[in-house]
Amino acid sequence: MAAYETIYAIVRQIPVGKVATYGQVADLAHMPGRARLVGYALFRVAPNSDIPWHRVINAKGEISESPERYGSDYLQRSLLEAEGIQFTPHGKISLQDYRWIGQALLSQKT
DNA sequence: CTAATGACGTAGA
DNA sequence: ATCTACGCCATTA
């Protein structure tokens, strides 16, 4: 039980071929500014879960890396490419093209 | 109860 | 464009 459940719910709503930033998920999860909690939540969820954690990236449009992930960042990139997401030569993702627009944000969108 | 942790975000230089 | 520093606060031991 935890606010993390909300985060998981948001991540599960990310459609294939799209990506969301931690801040994006945090905002949709009613936790603006708690991007760290989102990232930490995904760390706990682990790739064994049915949650598309690989569709969540940082605000820079890149995949976060951490020595504790044992190279799971490589796996994440592989999964994203499998969904048709392109990576720039710099190893980044075109956020403005693949950024998932949450339904709550659709109303806010100009 | 306290202490430590953490896949981030933003601002300033 | 890159780098540093601080804040954010739920979860776990």
Side-chain angles (χ1 to χ4, degrees):
Chain A
M1 53 87 43
Y4 285 1
E5 261 184 53
T6 313
I7 295 172
Y8 301 147
I10 300 300
V11 178
R12 252 181 289 209
Q13 287 167 52
I14 303 176
V16 179
K18 294 278 190 168
V19 295
T21 66
Y22 295 99
Q24 192 83 55
V25 175
D27 184 55
L28 293 171
H30 297 173
M31 303 179 190
R34 266 125 271 184
R36 308 187 82 191
L37 288 312
V38 178
Y40 194 44
L42 293 175
F43 181 73
R44 293 184 68 254
V45 87
N48 308 14
S49 212
D50 58 307
I51 300 174
W53 55 273
H54 56 264
R55 294 184 195 143
V56 187
I57 57 180
N58 62 18
K60 291 176 291 194
E62 297 184 80
I63 299 173
S64 300
E65 12 182 292
S66 180
E68 303 303 310
R69 286 180 59 185
Y70 299 97
S72 64
D73 54 290
Y74 176 81
L75 174 63
Q76 180 168 11
R77 175 169 168 171
S78 181
L79 290 169
L80 291 173
E81 290 185 307
E83 301 201 342
I85 295 176
Q86 305 172 47
F87 279 75
T88 69
H90 293 281
K92 303 201 303 189
I93 299 173
S94 303
L95 267 181
Q96 58 186 345
D97 290 331
Y98 292 102
R99 180 188 54 185
W100 171 55
I101 308 296
Q103 296 184 338
L105 298 180
L106 286 175
S107 307
Q108 181 177 259
K109 188 175 182 296
T110 46

